[in-house]
Amino acid sequence: MDTPGTDFTCADPGYVERVRGSFERQTVMGTFGIALVDVAPGRVVLEMPHRADLTQQHGFLHAGVVSTALDSACGYAAFSLMPADAAVLTIEFKVNLVAPARGPVFRFEGTVIKPGRTITVVEGRAIERGDKGERLVATMTATVMTVLGRVGIHH
Amino acid sequence: MDTPGTDFTCADPGYVERVRGSFERQTVMGTFGIALVDVAPGRVVLEMPHRADLTQQHGFLHAGVVSTALDSACGYAAFSLMPADAAVLTIEFKVNLVAPARGPVFRFEGTVIKPGRTITVVEGRAIERGDKGERLVATMTATVMTVLGRVGIHH
Amino acid sequence: MDTPGTDFTCADPGYVERVRGSFERQTVMGTFGIALVDVAPGRVVLEMPHRADLTQQHGFLHAGVVSTALDSACGYAAFSLMPADAAVLTIEFKVNLVAPARGPVFRFEGTVIKPGRTITVVEGRAIERGDKGERLVATMTATVMTVLGRVGIHH
Amino acid sequence: MDTPGTDFTCADPGYVERVRGSFERQTVMGTFGIALVDVAPGRVVLEMPHRADLTQQHGFLHAGVVSTALDSACGYAAFSLMPADAAVLTIEFKVNLVAPARGPVFRFEGTVIKPGRTITVVEGRAIERGDKGERLVATMTATVMTVLGRVGIHH
């Protein structure tokens, strides 16, 4: 059966550079201090430190900020498997928030569950690393589209 | 039958101030330039201008930033109906991204679909206002929890 | 802005017959006693009575049975707007269960929120009609794909 | 960090009988021919053969029928970790349909990702077993609630 995040083949041998290049054009990644720490076939890992200016009313990272990092991790995990001339478009995602995002450091993992010619399904995990070790903070399931030969796509 | 966004009764007559106070403690709202423009029973409206520092690789507002505003609109729509001593916790949300978030201005509407003692379901709409009028950019369904008498909640 | 469920134009003037024909080939609809009661551009309504053989442990209609009807209502709402030679494929859906599905009669409404060349977003509502009037039982958001010129699609 | 589906402790030593008993009261399970094949702490596995009377227009198992089995697998995975006097309530779920459900045999796995006092998050996988081996058919993320001391719950 399909084993998540393993044995995927990248159509484009230059997938690492392609993912890094697109990631660097996502201005919000720099604004939030999110770094791309790993790219593998069908899998991308991002990291960021806690940021007081990105918090909700109790001082935890806002769920939308966690979703920003998870969406990029998932989108680029799918993008790594796409042809060199494809654009990536997130159609939808669902996030479960399972613990307060305290930090001080967060890791965001995107792993392709099911690649497809048009539609790829990706799973995301947000994990915080603190005094007591690692803890799951949020999960994402994202549906990502491969867009070919269109000029004006949006993602 | 239940009609969304109408005829809800707020348990707390001070709900407007309560929502405004909590919104102001969400530091990320100020960081993103998101304003609270309307609070009604079971309904909250936010607005923000497009921001170049919050974009993805094609210059549109990142889906996670759209989700940040939608999550707060939905959470506070639910919060408006809660007792004065309750805390609000987003358990999960699902976002569909239906058009590129170009702006230049965005409105985010959160409307309670089904209030409940513990669980409230809220619908969000992100709408951009541009040269050609208004256009739907994204939808959210959020599941929000009322938390009573707990010290260490996270939202 | 896009107004849900209004002013949609059907590419195929024979959309009503096309929807009815496909609905009749969904064997599970007959098995569950689900009837197609209305087809309009971007909107489909189904109905079914409560059935004791389709219940969960407390005697209510199982959430998966509610989802079956909602998925078909949403899929056919999208299908009504598609070209005559298209096939319809549900990519994903999300369901919120907001009240026990007691019945004795259920109505399932699917309404297109955002039509698209490839991806259409549809909203579903399950409503029960009982002694005390109508009540919302469940909501769905479905992402539906238009499939053209492919032989072996699955929906 | 939390490792899905491992090392969970059941509050109730009689969890296997409790899950089996509730499963047997879900009339729809018998109607669909779904069997409970494994119960472990935080994990439940169901199986069913393909059924021509539960299909959509192309002869595949309807997505709602797949969801019925996934919802029960996820709900009972959560229920296995609950106190003896608790009731289980699915608040919401999201399903991605990644391949046509051909069969001839299906397995449905529910695995707790994050247990909680009130809210438990569960992941579901629907896998078909055919001539060419096993294949992922659908994924679910379900949000499940522990209900204590209430008379009229609905699941």
Side-chain angles (χ1 to χ4, degrees), chain C residues 46-76:
Chain C
L46 310 180
E47 277 194 7
M48 75 177 283
H50 188 270
R51 278 267 298 266
D53 59 341
L54 302 177
T55 53
Q56 37 82 293
Q57 72 274 26
H58 297 106
F60 307 124
L61 212 60
H62 194 284
V65 175
V66 173
S67 300
T68 303
L70 281 174
D71 176 36
S72 286
C74 289
Y76 285 125

PDB file of all heavy atoms in Angstrom, chain C residues 46-76:
ATOM      1  N   LEU C  46     -32.309  16.716  -1.816  1.00  0.00           N
ATOM      2  CA  LEU C  46     -32.673  15.310  -1.643  1.00  0.00           C
ATOM      3  C   LEU C  46     -33.513  15.171  -0.368  1.00  0.00           C
ATOM      4  O   LEU C  46     -33.439  16.017   0.519  1.00  0.00           O
ATOM      5  CB  LEU C  46     -31.422  14.431  -1.521  1.00  0.00           C
ATOM      6  CG  LEU C  46     -30.324  14.583  -2.568  1.00  0.00           C
ATOM      7  CD1 LEU C  46     -29.169  13.618  -2.270  1.00  0.00           C
ATOM      8  CD2 LEU C  46     -30.866  14.334  -3.968  1.00  0.00           C
ATOM      9  N   GLU C  47     -34.242  14.092  -0.267  1.00  0.00           N
ATOM     10  CA  GLU C  47     -34.996  13.808   0.958  1.00  0.00           C
ATOM     11  C   GLU C  47     -34.980  12.324   1.275  1.00  0.00           C
ATOM     12  O   GLU C  47     -34.888  11.495   0.367  1.00  0.00           O
ATOM     13  CB  GLU C  47     -36.460  14.265   0.814  1.00  0.00           C
ATOM     14  CG  GLU C  47     -36.662  15.738   1.092  1.00  0.00           C
ATOM     15  CD  GLU C  47     -38.131  16.110   1.286  1.00  0.00           C
ATOM     16  OE1 GLU C  47     -38.983  15.184   1.331  1.00  0.00           O
ATOM     17  OE2 GLU C  47     -38.412  17.307   1.407  1.00  0.00           O
ATOM     18  N   MET C  48     -35.065  12.013   2.552  1.00  0.00           N
ATOM     19  CA  MET C  48     -35.231  10.606   2.946  1.00  0.00           C
ATOM     20  C   MET C  48     -35.915  10.548   4.297  1.00  0.00           C
ATOM     21  O   MET C  48     -35.779  11.457   5.117  1.00  0.00           O
ATOM     22  CB  MET C  48     -33.892   9.864   3.001  1.00  0.00           C
ATOM     23  CG  MET C  48     -33.016  10.175   4.191  1.00  0.00           C
ATOM     24  SD  MET C  48     -31.463   9.198   4.251  1.00  0.00           S
ATOM     25  CE  MET C  48     -32.035   7.595   4.824  1.00  0.00           C
ATOM     26  N   PRO C  49     -36.664   9.470   4.555  1.00  0.00           N
ATOM     27  CA  PRO C  49     -37.215   9.257   5.890  1.00  0.00           C
ATOM     28  C   PRO C  49     -36.167   8.578   6.780  1.00  0.00           C
ATOM     29  O   PRO C  49     -35.206   7.975   6.288  1.00  0.00           O
ATOM     30  CB  PRO C  49     -38.384   8.299   5.628  1.00  0.00           C
ATOM     31  CG  PRO C  49     -37.993   7.548   4.401  1.00  0.00           C
ATOM     32  CD  PRO C  49     -37.123   8.456   3.587  1.00  0.00           C
ATOM     33  N   HIS C  50     -36.352   8.687   8.095  1.00  0.00           N
ATOM     34  CA  HIS C  50     -35.507   7.959   9.031  1.00  0.00           C
ATOM     35  C   HIS C  50     -35.627   6.463   8.756  1.00  0.00           C
ATOM     36  O   HIS C  50     -36.687   5.988   8.338  1.00  0.00           O
ATOM     37  CB  HIS C  50     -35.959   8.264  10.465  1.00  0.00           C
ATOM     38  CG  HIS C  50     -35.038   7.713  11.511  1.00  0.00           C
ATOM     39  ND1 HIS C  50     -35.201   6.470  12.046  1.00  0.00           N
ATOM     40  CD2 HIS C  50     -33.949   8.244  12.102  1.00  0.00           C
ATOM     41  CE1 HIS C  50     -34.241   6.250  12.942  1.00  0.00           C
ATOM     42  NE2 HIS C  50     -33.467   7.311  12.990  1.00  0.00           N
ATOM     43  N   ARG C  51     -34.522   5.749   8.971  1.00  0.00           N
ATOM     44  CA  ARG C  51     -34.527   4.305   8.714  1.00  0.00           C
ATOM     45  C   ARG C  51     -33.820   3.594   9.858  1.00  0.00           C
ATOM     46  O   ARG C  51     -32.624   3.832  10.104  1.00  0.00           O
ATOM     47  CB  ARG C  51     -33.758   4.020   7.418  1.00  0.00           C
ATOM     48  CG  ARG C  51     -34.579   4.240   6.162  1.00  0.00           C
ATOM     49  CD  ARG C  51     -35.240   2.960   5.699  1.00  0.00           C
ATOM     50  NE  ARG C  51     -34.262   1.966   5.369  1.00  0.00           N
ATOM     51  CZ  ARG C  51     -33.780   1.745   4.146  1.00  0.00           C
ATOM     52  NH1 ARG C  51     -34.233   2.427   3.114  1.00  0.00           N
ATOM     53  NH2 ARG C  51     -32.873   0.823   3.954  1.00  0.00           N
ATOM     54  N   ALA C  52     -34.522   2.711  10.546  1.00  0.00           N
ATOM     55  CA  ALA C  52     -33.971   2.030  11.723  1.00  0.00           C
ATOM     56  C   ALA C  52     -32.753   1.169  11.385  1.00  0.00           C
ATOM     57  O   ALA C  52     -31.900   0.926  12.238  1.00  0.00           O
ATOM     58  CB  ALA C  52     -35.054   1.177  12.387  1.00  0.00           C
ATOM     59  N   ASP C  53     -32.665   0.719  10.140  1.00  0.00           N
ATOM     60  CA  ASP C  53     -31.525  -0.138   9.777  1.00  0.00           C
ATOM     61  C   ASP C  53     -30.280   0.663   9.409  1.00  0.00           C
ATOM     62  O   ASP C  53     -29.249   0.081   9.051  1.00  0.00           O
ATOM     63  CB  ASP C  53     -31.904  -1.089   8.635  1.00  0.00           C
ATOM     64  CG  ASP C  53     -32.358  -0.361   7.378  1.00  0.00           C
ATOM     65  OD1 ASP C  53     -32.731   0.838   7.482  1.00  0.00           O
ATOM     66  OD2 ASP C  53     -32.336  -0.965   6.296  1.00  0.00           O
ATOM     67  N   LEU C  54     -30.354   1.989   9.511  1.00  0.00           N
ATOM     68  CA  LEU C  54     -29.198   2.832   9.166  1.00  0.00           C
ATOM     69  C   LEU C  54     -28.743   3.673  10.356  1.00  0.00           C
ATOM     70  O   LEU C  54     -28.191   4.758  10.195  1.00  0.00           O
ATOM     71  CB  LEU C  54     -29.552   3.736   7.973  1.00  0.00           C
ATOM     72  CG  LEU C  54     -29.990   3.023   6.682  1.00  0.00           C
ATOM     73  CD1 LEU C  54     -30.382   4.038   5.606  1.00  0.00           C
ATOM     74  CD2 LEU C  54     -28.864   2.120   6.149  1.00  0.00           C
ATOM     75  N   THR C  55     -28.935   3.162  11.546  1.00  0.00           N
ATOM     76  CA  THR C  55     -28.704   3.976  12.746  1.00  0.00           C
ATOM     77  C   THR C  55     -27.415   3.607  13.485  1.00  0.00           C
ATOM     78  O   THR C  55     -26.854   2.532  13.306  1.00  0.00           O
ATOM     79  CB  THR C  55     -29.885   3.820  13.733  1.00  0.00           C
ATOM     80  OG1 THR C  55     -30.083   2.420  13.973  1.00  0.00           O
ATOM     81  CG2 THR C  55     -31.148   4.419  13.161  1.00  0.00           C
ATOM     82  N   GLN C  56     -27.024   4.553  14.335  1.00  0.00           N
ATOM     83  CA  GLN C  56     -25.894   4.301  15.247  1.00  0.00           C
ATOM     84  C   GLN C  56     -26.438   3.786  16.592  1.00  0.00           C
ATOM     85  O   GLN C  56     -27.633   3.463  16.682  1.00  0.00           O
ATOM     86  CB  GLN C  56     -25.001   5.539  15.381  1.00  0.00           C
ATOM     87  CG  GLN C  56     -25.678   6.904  15.389  1.00  0.00           C
ATOM     88  CD  GLN C  56     -26.210   7.283  16.714  1.00  0.00           C
ATOM     89  OE1 GLN C  56     -27.158   6.655  17.220  1.00  0.00           O
ATOM     90  NE2 GLN C  56     -25.637   8.346  17.277  1.00  0.00           N
ATOM     91  N   GLN C  57     -25.585   3.788  17.611  1.00  0.00           N
ATOM     92  CA  GLN C  57     -25.929   3.090  18.847  1.00  0.00           C
ATOM     93  C   GLN C  57     -27.058   3.710  19.667  1.00  0.00           C
ATOM     94  O   GLN C  57     -27.579   3.072  20.583  1.00  0.00           O
ATOM     95  CB  GLN C  57     -24.673   2.906  19.706  1.00  0.00           C
ATOM     96  CG  GLN C  57     -24.123   4.171  20.364  1.00  0.00           C
ATOM     97  CD  GLN C  57     -23.184   4.963  19.453  1.00  0.00           C
ATOM     98  OE1 GLN C  57     -23.255   4.913  18.238  1.00  0.00           O
ATOM     99  NE2 GLN C  57     -22.297   5.723  20.064  1.00  0.00           N
ATOM    100  N   HIS C  58     -27.445   4.963  19.346  1.00  0.00           N
ATOM    101  CA  HIS C  58     -28.548   5.580  20.090  1.00  0.00           C
ATOM    102  C   HIS C  58     -29.822   5.699  19.275  1.00  0.00           C
ATOM    103  O   HIS C  58     -30.767   6.394  19.661  1.00  0.00           O
ATOM    104  CB  HIS C  58     -28.143   6.963  20.612  1.00  0.00           C
ATOM    105  CG  HIS C  58     -27.007   6.918  21.596  1.00  0.00           C
ATOM    106  ND1 HIS C  58     -25.733   7.314  21.275  1.00  0.00           N
ATOM    107  CD2 HIS C  58     -26.941   6.455  22.867  1.00  0.00           C
ATOM    108  CE1 HIS C  58     -24.944   7.127  22.318  1.00  0.00           C
ATOM    109  NE2 HIS C  58     -25.645   6.605  23.299  1.00  0.00           N
ATOM    110  N   GLY C  59     -29.851   5.055  18.107  1.00  0.00           N
ATOM    111  CA  GLY C  59     -31.064   5.047  17.310  1.00  0.00           C
ATOM    112  C   GLY C  59     -31.194   6.212  16.341  1.00  0.00           C
ATOM    113  O   GLY C  59     -32.211   6.357  15.664  1.00  0.00           O
ATOM    114  N   PHE C  60     -30.156   7.075  16.284  1.00  0.00           N
ATOM    115  CA  PHE C  60     -30.182   8.184  15.328  1.00  0.00           C
ATOM    116  C   PHE C  60     -29.536   7.740  14.016  1.00  0.00           C
ATOM    117  O   PHE C  60     -28.744   6.798  13.990  1.00  0.00           O
ATOM    118  CB  PHE C  60     -29.437   9.396  15.909  1.00  0.00           C
ATOM    119  CG  PHE C  60     -29.947   9.792  17.270  1.00  0.00           C
ATOM    120  CD1 PHE C  60     -29.092   9.866  18.362  1.00  0.00           C
ATOM    121  CD2 PHE C  60     -31.302  10.064  17.463  1.00  0.00           C
ATOM    122  CE1 PHE C  60     -29.574  10.203  19.618  1.00  0.00           C
ATOM    123  CE2 PHE C  60     -31.784  10.410  18.721  1.00  0.00           C
ATOM    124  CZ  PHE C  60     -30.919  10.475  19.806  1.00  0.00           C
ATOM    125  N   LEU C  61     -29.869   8.428  12.936  1.00  0.00           N
ATOM    126  CA  LEU C  61     -29.243   8.132  11.650  1.00  0.00           C
ATOM    127  C   LEU C  61     -27.725   8.289  11.800  1.00  0.00           C
ATOM    128  O   LEU C  61     -27.245   9.282  12.349  1.00  0.00           O
ATOM    129  CB  LEU C  61     -29.772   9.128  10.600  1.00  0.00           C
ATOM    130  CG  LEU C  61     -29.901   8.649   9.163  1.00  0.00           C
ATOM    131  CD1 LEU C  61     -30.858   7.455   9.047  1.00  0.00           C
ATOM    132  CD2 LEU C  61     -30.403   9.784   8.274  1.00  0.00           C
ATOM    133  N   HIS C  62     -26.957   7.326  11.327  1.00  0.00           N
ATOM    134  CA  HIS C  62     -25.499   7.367  11.445  1.00  0.00           C
ATOM    135  C   HIS C  62     -24.945   8.560  10.651  1.00  0.00           C
ATOM    136  O   HIS C  62     -25.432   8.874   9.572  1.00  0.00           O
ATOM    137  CB  HIS C  62     -24.901   6.063  10.896  1.00  0.00           C
ATOM    138  CG  HIS C  62     -23.461   5.866  11.261  1.00  0.00           C
ATOM    139  ND1 HIS C  62     -22.424   6.546  10.641  1.00  0.00           N
ATOM    140  CD2 HIS C  62     -22.876   5.063  12.182  1.00  0.00           C
ATOM    141  CE1 HIS C  62     -21.267   6.158  11.170  1.00  0.00           C
ATOM    142  NE2 HIS C  62     -21.511   5.261  12.102  1.00  0.00           N
ATOM    143  N   ALA C  63     -23.934   9.221  11.203  1.00  0.00           N
ATOM    144  CA  ALA C  63     -23.318  10.382  10.556  1.00  0.00           C
ATOM    145  C   ALA C  63     -22.850  10.068   9.132  1.00  0.00           C
ATOM    146  O   ALA C  63     -22.873  10.937   8.256  1.00  0.00           O
ATOM    147  CB  ALA C  63     -22.137  10.876  11.399  1.00  0.00           C
ATOM    148  N   GLY C  64     -22.447   8.828   8.890  1.00  0.00           N
ATOM    149  CA  GLY C  64     -22.006   8.448   7.553  1.00  0.00           C
ATOM    150  C   GLY C  64     -23.150   8.373   6.555  1.00  0.00           C
ATOM    151  O   GLY C  64     -22.968   8.634   5.362  1.00  0.00           O
ATOM    152  N   VAL C  65     -24.327   8.045   7.041  1.00  0.00           N
ATOM    153  CA  VAL C  65     -25.514   8.012   6.173  1.00  0.00           C
ATOM    154  C   VAL C  65     -25.935   9.445   5.829  1.00  0.00           C
ATOM    155  O   VAL C  65     -26.249   9.764   4.677  1.00  0.00           O
ATOM    156  CB  VAL C  65     -26.652   7.218   6.843  1.00  0.00           C
ATOM    157  CG1 VAL C  65     -27.925   7.279   6.012  1.00  0.00           C
ATOM    158  CG2 VAL C  65     -26.210   5.766   7.072  1.00  0.00           C
ATOM    159  N   VAL C  66     -25.905  10.314   6.839  1.00  0.00           N
ATOM    160  CA  VAL C  66     -26.147  11.736   6.595  1.00  0.00           C
ATOM    161  C   VAL C  66     -25.140  12.261   5.571  1.00  0.00           C
ATOM    162  O   VAL C  66     -25.490  12.996   4.633  1.00  0.00           O
ATOM    163  CB  VAL C  66     -26.053  12.534   7.922  1.00  0.00           C
ATOM    164  CG1 VAL C  66     -26.121  14.030   7.668  1.00  0.00           C
ATOM    165  CG2 VAL C  66     -27.149  12.093   8.891  1.00  0.00           C
ATOM    166  N   SER C  67     -23.883  11.842   5.709  1.00  0.00           N
ATOM    167  CA  SER C  67     -22.833  12.281   4.786  1.00  0.00           C
ATOM    168  C   SER C  67     -23.046  11.748   3.378  1.00  0.00           C
ATOM    169  O   SER C  67     -22.694  12.416   2.403  1.00  0.00           O
ATOM    170  CB  SER C  67     -21.462  11.811   5.285  1.00  0.00           C
ATOM    171  OG  SER C  67     -21.192  12.333   6.557  1.00  0.00           O
ATOM    172  N   THR C  68     -23.589  10.550   3.271  1.00  0.00           N
ATOM    173  CA  THR C  68     -23.868   9.974   1.951  1.00  0.00           C
ATOM    174  C   THR C  68     -24.837  10.867   1.184  1.00  0.00           C
ATOM    175  O   THR C  68     -24.606  11.216   0.020  1.00  0.00           O
ATOM    176  CB  THR C  68     -24.466   8.562   2.112  1.00  0.00           C
ATOM    177  OG1 THR C  68     -23.558   7.753   2.859  1.00  0.00           O
ATOM    178  CG2 THR C  68     -24.725   7.904   0.757  1.00  0.00           C
ATOM    179  N   ALA C  69     -25.921  11.247   1.857  1.00  0.00           N
ATOM    180  CA  ALA C  69     -26.919  12.100   1.208  1.00  0.00           C
ATOM    181  C   ALA C  69     -26.356  13.490   0.931  1.00  0.00           C
ATOM    182  O   ALA C  69     -26.562  14.058  -0.149  1.00  0.00           O
ATOM    183  CB  ALA C  69     -28.174  12.183   2.080  1.00  0.00           C
ATOM    184  N   LEU C  70     -25.611  14.055   1.892  1.00  0.00           N
ATOM    185  CA  LEU C  70     -25.033  15.387   1.687  1.00  0.00           C
ATOM    186  C   LEU C  70     -24.024  15.373   0.542  1.00  0.00           C
ATOM    187  O   LEU C  70     -23.973  16.307  -0.271  1.00  0.00           O
ATOM    188  CB  LEU C  70     -24.353  15.878   2.975  1.00  0.00           C
ATOM    189  CG  LEU C  70     -25.266  16.438   4.054  1.00  0.00           C
ATOM    190  CD1 LEU C  70     -24.476  16.733   5.320  1.00  0.00           C
ATOM    191  CD2 LEU C  70     -25.966  17.718   3.569  1.00  0.00           C
ATOM    192  N   ASP C  71     -23.195  14.334   0.467  1.00  0.00           N
ATOM    193  CA  ASP C  71     -22.198  14.251  -0.604  1.00  0.00           C
ATOM    194  C   ASP C  71     -22.882  14.210  -1.972  1.00  0.00           C
ATOM    195  O   ASP C  71     -22.459  14.899  -2.910  1.00  0.00           O
ATOM    196  CB  ASP C  71     -21.318  13.014  -0.402  1.00  0.00           C
ATOM    197  CG  ASP C  71     -20.322  12.812  -1.544  1.00  0.00           C
ATOM    198  OD1 ASP C  71     -19.808  13.814  -2.089  1.00  0.00           O
ATOM    199  OD2 ASP C  71     -20.046  11.650  -1.893  1.00  0.00           O
ATOM    200  N   SER C  72     -23.959  13.428  -2.075  1.00  0.00           N
ATOM    201  CA  SER C  72     -24.659  13.371  -3.363  1.00  0.00           C
ATOM    202  C   SER C  72     -25.351  14.696  -3.682  1.00  0.00           C
ATOM    203  O   SER C  72     -25.326  15.155  -4.823  1.00  0.00           O
ATOM    204  CB  SER C  72     -25.658  12.203  -3.383  1.00  0.00           C
ATOM    205  OG  SER C  72     -24.953  10.975  -3.509  1.00  0.00           O
ATOM    206  N   ALA C  73     -25.947  15.325  -2.677  1.00  0.00           N
ATOM    207  CA  ALA C  73     -26.577  16.634  -2.917  1.00  0.00           C
ATOM    208  C   ALA C  73     -25.540  17.648  -3.399  1.00  0.00           C
ATOM    209  O   ALA C  73     -25.775  18.395  -4.360  1.00  0.00           O
ATOM    210  CB  ALA C  73     -27.266  17.132  -1.641  1.00  0.00           C
ATOM    211  N   CYS C  74     -24.369  17.663  -2.754  1.00  0.00           N
ATOM    212  CA  CYS C  74     -23.313  18.616  -3.128  1.00  0.00           C
ATOM    213  C   CYS C  74     -22.721  18.266  -4.496  1.00  0.00           C
ATOM    214  O   CYS C  74     -22.502  19.143  -5.334  1.00  0.00           O
ATOM    215  CB  CYS C  74     -22.213  18.635  -2.062  1.00  0.00           C
ATOM    216  SG  CYS C  74     -22.722  19.408  -0.507  1.00  0.00           S
ATOM    217  N   GLY C  75     -22.441  17.001  -4.715  1.00  0.00           N
ATOM    218  CA  GLY C  75     -21.842  16.584  -5.986  1.00  0.00           C
ATOM    219  C   GLY C  75     -22.755  16.908  -7.158  1.00  0.00           C
ATOM    220  O   GLY C  75     -22.301  17.434  -8.184  1.00  0.00           O
ATOM    221  N   TYR C  76     -24.046  16.645  -6.994  1.00  0.00           N
ATOM    222  CA  TYR C  76     -24.969  16.917  -8.103  1.00  0.00           C
ATOM    223  C   TYR C  76     -25.257  18.403  -8.266  1.00  0.00           C
ATOM    224  O   TYR C  76     -25.549  18.868  -9.377  1.00  0.00           O
ATOM    225  CB  TYR C  76     -26.240  16.079  -7.956  1.00  0.00           C
ATOM    226  CG  TYR C  76     -25.971  14.632  -8.315  1.00  0.00           C
ATOM    227  CD1 TYR C  76     -26.259  13.592  -7.438  1.00  0.00           C
ATOM    228  CD2 TYR C  76     -25.373  14.316  -9.529  1.00  0.00           C
ATOM    229  CE1 TYR C  76     -25.977  12.263  -7.772  1.00  0.00           C
ATOM    230  CE2 TYR C  76     -25.078  12.997  -9.871  1.00  0.00           C
ATOM    231  CZ  TYR C  76     -25.381  11.979  -8.997  1.00  0.00           C
ATOM    232  OH  TYR C  76     -25.089  10.685  -9.331  1.00  0.00           O
TER     233      TYR C  76
END
